[in-house]
């Protein structure tokens, strides 16, 4: 037996929930720093608050991956997890920008940070099973397409999330002005809309996608042969959560090699997400590093949302081209070239003469972002036993969150002491990090670089 070949629409519906997940994630990425500053955080403290995000990924994704590998219910294998994650993330989205409601009990900054933690834990609960679902449901010759479609939906969702605050303020006349300690109305409504779309998009996937049962997966000839070749464990051996540590030690060589690529890719991304708003407010809009409440700072924050939308829009379209580029160049060279383009885009932010030229910089970032979201997973999926797809996708997340944790710990002090509060140098460092990741791609062995 072999897996059925899915139509484009089936692959699209299978990943449609990522539209809502990434819309919420984009709202968080583009606006969390601004919201935390409104609640009283200083620029050099931002990365410390953002450490919550990778910590949640480090803890949650391997655990969810382990249990989703072992789960089968009448609702499916992966679907129950991303449905629960979506509900919890929606609660965090609604409450984070309205944390000032709870000041009778706790400072708004603490509540806002707590909601950020809930959102990140919930996004991780939802995202990891989506990655594993592509590995479960698609044949080898469709996996690059599957991850590329997923990347396109991530891009479209992120565009909506990134542009929504700007659109509400500039196209629908909603106020983006703040009073002391209160988030602007356009941001509050944006987060509420994001929560609603997140739930709807997840339900589309849940209601339209059929999962293979464990028995069906075991019966497929290609999966069975792959599993037998890569896994010599006793099939009757009972598993436990502690097996994650054993799986970590036994991770495939390709995964170890990709870990360094992921490290420098995500170190760079984290620096961009955390410091883009203060960096562009200072370097492009000419504001003081102490300014986080003026009308011009809010304009700068809205413009960062536009820029983030640009790179996500570019990534959505570039994702559709990735299978064809990878067919011609190979997955490794495709990823390396994309990272170089993204690195040059980030470096160019320093020399761009005005805010409009930053759109050119973001085009480069969008090309790298699309590849980061697709190519490593397409390479990885071919090196993993199907019996361990969920847990290894979760463990692979270590190499996404650990560099973010390191950047969170050192990023703020670097901005304050090494960069003399000039946050733009954090973006320059992100560009250099992308270029290092590109060089390391060539050390990766792609064991399944099939013709798509």
């Amino acid at each position: 037996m072999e897996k059925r070949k899915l139509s484009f629409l089936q692959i699209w519906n299978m990943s449609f929930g990522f539209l809502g997940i990434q819309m919420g994630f984009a709202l968080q990425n583009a606006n969390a720093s601004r919201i935390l500053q409104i609640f009283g955080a200083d620029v050099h403290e931002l990365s410390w608050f953002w450490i919550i995000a990778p910590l949640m990924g480090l803890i949650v994704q391997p655990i969810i991956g382990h249990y989703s590998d072992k789960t089968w219910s009448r609702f499916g294998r992966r679907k129950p997890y991303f449905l629960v994650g979506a509900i919890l993330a929606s609660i965090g989205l609604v409450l984070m920008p309205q944390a000032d409601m709870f000041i009778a009990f706790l400072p708004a900054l603490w509540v806002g940070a707590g909601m950020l933690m809930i959102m990140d834990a919930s996004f991780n609960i939802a995202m990891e099973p989506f990655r594993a679902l592509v590995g479960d449901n698609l044949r080898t010759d469709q996996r690059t397409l599957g991850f590329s479609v997923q990347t396109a939906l991530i891009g479209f969702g992120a565009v909506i999330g990134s542009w929504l605050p700007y659109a509400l303020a500039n196209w629908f006349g909603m106020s983006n002005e703040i009073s002391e300690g209160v988030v602007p109305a356009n941001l509050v409504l944006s987060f509420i809309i994001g929560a609603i779309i997140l739930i709807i998009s997840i339900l589309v996937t849940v209601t339209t996608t059929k999962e293979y049962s464990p028995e069906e997966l075991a019966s497929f000839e290609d999966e069975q042969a792959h599993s037998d070749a890569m896994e010599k464990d006793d099939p009757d051996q009972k598993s436990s959560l502690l097996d994650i540590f054993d799986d970590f030690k036994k991770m495939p060589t390709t995964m170890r090699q990709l870990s360094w690529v992921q490290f420098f890719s995500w170190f760079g991304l984290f620096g961009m997400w955390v410091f883009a708003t203060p960096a562009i407010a200072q370097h492009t809009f000419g504001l003081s590093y102490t300014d986080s409440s003026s009308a011009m700072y809010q304009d700068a924050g809205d413009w960062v949302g536009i820029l983030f939308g640009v790179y996500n829009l570019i990534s959505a379209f570039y994702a559709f081209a990735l299978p064809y580029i990878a067919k011609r160049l190979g997955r490794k060279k495709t990823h390396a070239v994309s990272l170089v383009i993204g690195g040059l885009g980030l470096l160019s932010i320093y020399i761009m003469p005005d805010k409009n030229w930053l759109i050119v910089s973001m085009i480069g970032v969008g090309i790298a972002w699309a590849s980061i979201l697709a190519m490593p997973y397409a390479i990885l999926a071919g090196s993993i036993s199907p019996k361990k797809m969920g847990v290894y996708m979760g463990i692979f997340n270590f190499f996404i969150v650990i560099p973010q944790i390191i950047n969170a710990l050192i990023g703020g002090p670097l901005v304050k002491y090494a960069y003399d509060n000039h946050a733009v140098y954090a973006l320059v460092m992100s560009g250099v990090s992308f270029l290092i990741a590109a060089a390391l791609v060539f050390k990766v062995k792609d064991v399944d670089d099939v013709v798509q």
Side-chain angles (χ1 to χ4, degrees):
M1 292 180 63
E2 64 177 4
K3 294 177 183 176
R4 63 186 180 276
K5 187 169 186 177
L6 300 187
S7 68
F8 181 84
L9 180 60
Q10 288 172 314
I11 295 173
W12 178 271
N13 286 337
M14 181 175 66
S15 292
F16 192 75
F18 248 118
L19 178 84
I21 292 173
Q22 197 61 30
M23 181 176 175
F25 202 54
L27 281 164
Q28 172 189 297
N29 283 346
N31 300 291
S33 289
R34 181 168 34 152
I35 290 171
L36 292 172
Q37 284 185 286
I38 290 170
F39 291 150
D42 293 329
V43 171
H44 66 273
E45 296 173 337
L46 290 176
S47 64
W48 296 341
F49 285 104
W50 274 80
I51 200 172
I52 296 168
L55 276 176
M56 288 299 99
L58 185 67
I59 295 167
V60 171
Q61 285 218 16
I63 295 173
I64 294 300
H66 172 82
Y67 282 115
S68 71
D69 279 342
K70 311 300 178 185
T71 296
W72 182 256
S73 70
R74 64 191 183 93
F75 300 108
R77 186 185 194 188
R78 314 290 184 186
K79 290 192 288 188
Y81 290 93
F82 50 71
L83 180 58
V84 170
I87 293 170
L88 294 175
S90 297
I91 294 171
L93 281 167
V94 170
L95 295 182
M96 184 188 178
Q98 302 184 80
D100 57 294
M101 293 190 305
F102 302 96
I103 56 175
F105 309 99
L106 287 171
L109 184 58
W110 291 16
V111 177
M115 291 302 113
L116 181 62
M117 180 180 70
I118 290 172
M119 278 193 293
D120 276 300
S122 304
F123 287 141
N124 280 292
I125 291 171
M127 279 193 288
E128 192 285 330
F130 261 110
R131 297 288 191 198
L133 185 63
V134 172
D136 290 342
N137 277 18
L138 294 184
R139 296 157 28 146
T140 297
D141 61 345
Q142 287 194 299
R143 280 178 180 161
T144 298
L145 174 62
F147 286 116
S148 296
V149 167
Q150 205 170 80
T151 299
L153 284 162
I154 286 171
F156 291 134
V159 169
I160 299 169
S162 298
W163 286 359
L164 192 54
Y166 181 92
L168 291 177
N170 291 274
W171 302 343
F172 295 96
M174 289 200 69
S175 173
N176 70 344
E177 297 179 0
I178 66 169
S179 54
E180 186 175 353
V182 179
V183 174
N186 68 320
L187 270 188
V188 173
L189 183 57
S190 296
F191 275 64
I192 292 172
I193 293 171
I196 294 169
I197 293 179
L198 173 56
I199 294 293
I200 293 172
S201 65
I202 289 287
L203 288 175
V204 169
T205 292
V206 168
T207 56
T208 61
T209 300
K210 178 184 182 297
E211 294 186 79
Y212 290 116
S213 70
E215 293 77 20
E216 288 175 312
L217 284 173
S219 70
F220 297 129
E221 292 178 1
D222 57 335
E223 300 283 29
Q224 192 172 34
H226 189 44
S227 180
D228 290 344
M230 298 186 62
E231 227 178 301
K232 297 179 173 58
D233 298 333
D234 180 355
D236 296 324
Q237 182 180 359
K238 291 185 177 179
S239 63
S240 73
L241 191 57
L242 295 177
D243 288 345
I244 292 174
F245 298 102
D246 189 52
D247 293 329
F248 185 88
K249 290 188 294 184
K250 295 179 180 178
M251 75 175 74
T253 300
T254 297
M255 187 171 173
R256 292 182 187 275
Q257 296 165 338
L258 277 170
S259 68
W260 288 105
V261 178
Q262 293 291 85
F263 181 94
F264 286 100
S265 299
W266 287 87
F267 186 93
L269 286 168
F270 188 84
M272 180 187 70
W273 290 332
V274 174
F275 293 110
T277 297
I280 289 170
Q282 297 165 26
H283 191 69
T284 306
F285 284 72
L287 301 178
S288 166
Y289 75 90
T290 59
D291 185 350
S292 62
S293 58
S294 68
M296 187 174 289
Y297 189 88
Q298 300 309 311
D299 290 339
D302 288 344
W303 187 248
V304 169
I306 291 294
L307 295 175
F308 279 23
V310 167
Y311 88 71
N312 281 290
L313 184 63
I314 294 299
S315 77
F317 289 107
Y318 186 63
F320 288 117
L322 278 172
Y324 304 100
I325 298 172
K327 181 179 179 180
R328 181 172 293 272
L329 299 181
R331 290 166 175 163
K332 287 167 47 176
K333 189 177 291 186
T334 298
H335 193 39
V337 170
S338 300
L339 286 169
V340 168
I341 294 171
L344 294 176
L346 284 168
L347 291 172
S348 71
I349 291 174
Y350 187 81
I351 62 172
M352 289 305 183
D354 60 48
K355 69 175 188 177
N356 294 311
W357 276 98
L358 294 177
I359 293 173
V360 178
S361 302
M362 289 298 111
I363 291 173
V365 173
I367 288 171
W369 177 232
S371 191
I372 289 168
L373 290 174
M375 287 296 106
Y377 294 97
I379 295 170
L380 178 67
S383 69
I384 298 175
S385 163
K387 294 180 182 177
K388 297 287 188 178
M389 187 67 71
V391 70
Y392 272 130
M393 286 292 183
I395 290 173
F396 196 52
N397 195 58
F398 287 171
F399 311 118
I400 293 175
V401 299
I402 290 173
Q404 293 182 68
I405 291 170
I406 293 173
N407 199 331
L409 292 172
I410 69 174
L414 282 174
V415 168
K416 185 174 183 180
Y417 299 109
Y419 308 150
D420 192 28
N421 290 305
H422 291 90
V424 69
Y425 291 113
L427 304 190
V428 172
M429 177 64 74
S430 293
V432 172
S433 190
F434 271 28
L435 297 180
I436 295 172
L440 291 169
V441 171
F442 293 102
K443 293 184 175 293
V444 177
K445 180 182 179 182
D446 188 350
V447 299
D448 191 27
D449 198 356
V450 296
V451 176
Q452 301 299 310

